[in-house]
mmCIF file of all heavy atoms in Angstrom:
data_model
loop_
_atom_site.group_PDB
_atom_site.id
_atom_site.type_symbol
_atom_site.label_atom_id
_atom_site.label_comp_id
_atom_site.label_asym_id
_atom_site.label_seq_id
_atom_site.Cartn_x
_atom_site.Cartn_y
_atom_site.Cartn_z
ATOM 1 N N ALA A 69 -14.843 10.077 16.364
ATOM 2 C CA ALA A 69 -13.770 10.153 15.485
ATOM 3 C C ALA A 69 -14.222 10.454 14.090
ATOM 4 O O ALA A 69 -15.448 10.452 13.823
ATOM 5 C CB ALA A 69 -12.980 8.893 15.550
ATOM 6 N N GLN A 70 -13.236 10.753 13.234
ATOM 7 C CA GLN A 70 -13.539 10.891 11.811
ATOM 8 C C GLN A 70 -14.014 9.554 11.251
ATOM 9 O O GLN A 70 -13.643 8.416 11.641
ATOM 10 C CB GLN A 70 -12.438 11.382 10.982
ATOM 11 C CG GLN A 70 -11.839 12.772 11.445
ATOM 12 C CD GLN A 70 -10.627 13.230 10.585
ATOM 13 O OE1 GLN A 70 -10.762 13.111 9.363
ATOM 14 N NE2 GLN A 70 -9.592 13.633 11.136
ATOM 15 N N VAL A 71 -14.945 9.602 10.207
ATOM 16 C CA VAL A 71 -15.389 8.432 9.537
ATOM 17 C C VAL A 71 -14.168 7.668 8.981
ATOM 18 O O VAL A 71 -14.156 6.471 9.087
ATOM 19 C CB VAL A 71 -16.360 8.786 8.501
ATOM 20 C CG1 VAL A 71 -16.726 7.531 7.581
ATOM 21 C CG2 VAL A 71 -17.627 9.357 9.021
ATOM 22 N N SER A 72 -13.165 8.367 8.389
ATOM 23 C CA SER A 72 -12.047 7.629 7.924
ATOM 24 C C SER A 72 -11.312 6.890 8.927
ATOM 25 O O SER A 72 -10.776 5.811 8.611
ATOM 26 C CB SER A 72 -11.045 8.733 7.257
ATOM 27 O OG SER A 72 -10.687 9.651 8.185
ATOM 28 N N THR A 73 -11.138 7.439 10.156
ATOM 29 C CA THR A 73 -10.536 6.720 11.220
ATOM 30 C C THR A 73 -11.344 5.505 11.705
ATOM 31 O O THR A 73 -10.818 4.466 11.937
ATOM 32 C CB THR A 73 -10.288 7.664 12.432
ATOM 33 O OG1 THR A 73 -9.533 8.815 11.989
ATOM 34 C CG2 THR A 73 -9.635 6.971 13.639
ATOM 35 N N TRP A 74 -12.636 5.729 11.720
ATOM 36 C CA TRP A 74 -13.597 4.653 12.040
ATOM 37 C C TRP A 74 -13.499 3.459 11.072
ATOM 38 O O TRP A 74 -13.275 2.246 11.439
ATOM 39 C CB TRP A 74 -15.028 5.153 12.142
ATOM 40 C CG TRP A 74 -16.052 4.122 12.621
ATOM 41 C CD1 TRP A 74 -16.248 3.666 13.793
ATOM 42 C CD2 TRP A 74 -17.089 3.645 11.690
ATOM 43 N NE1 TRP A 74 -17.338 2.813 13.736
ATOM 44 C CE2 TRP A 74 -17.852 2.746 12.550
ATOM 45 C CE3 TRP A 74 -17.402 3.865 10.409
ATOM 46 C CZ2 TRP A 74 -19.019 2.094 12.069
ATOM 47 C CZ3 TRP A 74 -18.539 3.196 9.796
ATOM 48 C CH2 TRP A 74 -19.335 2.306 10.688
ATOM 49 N N LEU A 75 -13.446 3.790 9.784
ATOM 50 C CA LEU A 75 -13.288 2.755 8.682
ATOM 51 C C LEU A 75 -11.869 2.066 8.786
ATOM 52 O O LEU A 75 -11.902 0.925 8.647
ATOM 53 C CB LEU A 75 -13.517 3.373 7.414
ATOM 54 C CG LEU A 75 -14.936 3.758 7.028
ATOM 55 C CD1 LEU A 75 -14.885 4.609 5.696
ATOM 56 C CD2 LEU A 75 -15.895 2.558 6.891
ATOM 57 N N THR A 76 -10.896 2.837 8.983
ATOM 58 C CA THR A 76 -9.561 2.274 9.087
ATOM 59 C C THR A 76 -9.435 1.293 10.274
ATOM 60 O O THR A 76 -8.780 0.307 10.095
ATOM 61 C CB THR A 76 -8.543 3.473 9.273
ATOM 62 O OG1 THR A 76 -8.618 4.375 8.148
ATOM 63 C CG2 THR A 76 -7.087 2.869 9.241
ATOM 64 N N ARG A 77 -9.995 1.708 11.399
ATOM 65 C CA ARG A 77 -9.953 0.798 12.567
ATOM 66 C C ARG A 77 -10.649 -0.519 12.227
ATOM 67 O O ARG A 77 -10.254 -1.614 12.679
ATOM 68 C CB ARG A 77 -10.604 1.491 13.764
ATOM 69 C CG ARG A 77 -10.550 0.684 15.067
ATOM 70 C CD ARG A 77 -11.047 1.383 16.241
ATOM 71 N NE ARG A 77 -10.191 2.568 16.578
ATOM 72 C CZ ARG A 77 -10.616 3.773 16.484
ATOM 73 N NH1 ARG A 77 -11.832 4.168 16.076
ATOM 74 N NH2 ARG A 77 -9.773 4.809 16.741
ATOM 75 N N ILE A 78 -11.713 -0.374 11.507
ATOM 76 C CA ILE A 78 -12.480 -1.659 11.214
ATOM 77 C C ILE A 78 -11.625 -2.516 10.234
ATOM 78 O O ILE A 78 -11.594 -3.806 10.367
ATOM 79 C CB ILE A 78 -13.776 -1.328 10.498
ATOM 80 C CG1 ILE A 78 -14.872 -0.700 11.529
ATOM 81 C CG2 ILE A 78 -14.544 -2.674 10.013
ATOM 82 C CD1 ILE A 78 -16.052 -0.138 10.836
ATOM 83 N N VAL A 79 -10.999 -1.963 9.301
ATOM 84 C CA VAL A 79 -10.212 -2.764 8.302
ATOM 85 C C VAL A 79 -8.988 -3.244 9.000
ATOM 86 O O VAL A 79 -8.497 -4.404 8.663
ATOM 87 C CB VAL A 79 -9.785 -1.888 7.068
ATOM 88 C CG1 VAL A 79 -8.537 -1.045 7.246
ATOM 89 C CG2 VAL A 79 -9.615 -2.803 5.889
ATOM 90 N N ILE A 80 -8.315 -2.617 9.943
ATOM 91 C CA ILE A 80 -7.237 -3.080 10.742
ATOM 92 C C ILE A 80 -7.717 -4.331 11.534
ATOM 93 O O ILE A 80 -7.049 -5.411 11.579
ATOM 94 C CB ILE A 80 -6.693 -2.077 11.668
ATOM 95 C CG1 ILE A 80 -5.940 -1.032 10.921
ATOM 96 C CG2 ILE A 80 -5.755 -2.668 12.705
ATOM 97 C CD1 ILE A 80 -5.438 0.209 11.727
ATOM 98 N N ASN A 81 -8.880 -4.241 12.206
ATOM 99 C CA ASN A 81 -9.331 -5.420 12.895
ATOM 100 C C ASN A 81 -9.629 -6.589 12.009
ATOM 101 O O ASN A 81 -9.242 -7.757 12.401
ATOM 102 C CB ASN A 81 -10.690 -5.005 13.675
ATOM 103 C CG ASN A 81 -10.410 -4.050 14.782
ATOM 104 O OD1 ASN A 81 -9.312 -3.992 15.322
ATOM 105 N ND2 ASN A 81 -11.443 -3.324 15.226
ATOM 106 N N GLN A 82 -10.247 -6.327 10.810
ATOM 107 C CA GLN A 82 -10.499 -7.446 9.873
ATOM 108 C C GLN A 82 -9.195 -8.048 9.339
ATOM 109 O O GLN A 82 -9.070 -9.286 9.282
ATOM 110 C CB GLN A 82 -11.175 -6.890 8.653
ATOM 111 C CG GLN A 82 -12.767 -6.657 8.959
ATOM 112 C CD GLN A 82 -13.552 -7.938 9.226
ATOM 113 O OE1 GLN A 82 -13.063 -8.904 8.751
ATOM 114 N NE2 GLN A 82 -14.591 -7.710 9.996
#
Side-chain angles (χ1 to χ4, degrees):
Q70 295 184 50
V71 172
S72 60
T73 301
W74 183 69
L75 289 172
T76 304
R77 185 173 292 116
I78 294 174
V79 84
I80 287 174
N81 289 338
Q82 286 292 334

